[in-house]
Amino acid sequence: METTRKRIAETLREAPATASDLGESLSLPTAVVYEHVEHVSRSVADDGADEEFLVAPPECRDCGFDRFDDPVNEPSRCPECKSERIAEPRFVIR
């Protein structure tokens, strides 16, 4: 049986996904997925393989702001316009 982190990594090798997508497909809460994703990103970097963990950062749906401090977590509010309409970051391993 594969670990949760291995299942997340395999899913991200197949196609980009958000934490909500991963949580839904793996039956995990989104907050738990974010914790695992951080570890998966480090594992890919330390693995030495020809793979990269890539992140499309979260983006404000109202003003387009996408320069968040921590692109791996989902912010609750845009620092520019204070909107709470934030698109989740998308992750992929290539």
Side-chain angles (χ1 to χ4, degrees):
M1 184 168 187
E2 286 187 311
T3 66
T4 300
R5 291 179 186 162
K6 285 184 181 180
R7 291 183 357 221
I8 289 172
E10 287 305 314
T11 302
L12 294 178
R13 285 182 178 98
E14 294 171 9
T18 65
S20 294
D21 297 337
L22 293 167
E24 187 175 313
S25 68
L26 301 172
S27 300
L28 295 169
T30 303
V32 172
V33 172
Y34 277 113
E35 291 174 24
H36 286 301
V37 164
E38 287 187 46
H39 289 277
V40 169
S41 70
R42 282 186 252 145
S43 297
V44 170
D46 294 342
D47 213 4
D50 289 336
E51 292 183 317
E52 288 182 289
F53 182 87
L54 303 173
V55 179
E59 183 176 323
C60 177
R61 290 183 177 135
D62 287 340
C63 74
F65 182 84
D66 67 354
R67 296 178 314 275
F68 292 91
D69 293 340
D70 185 1
V72 176
N73 287 312
E74 183 180 18
S76 60
R77 184 176 307 219
C78 175
E80 288 289 311
C81 70
K82 306 303 183 219
S83 171
E84 293 180 2
R85 297 188 57 224
I86 308 294
E88 287 184 77
R90 297 187 72 75
F91 311 105
V92 69
I93 296 175
R94 296 229 162 116

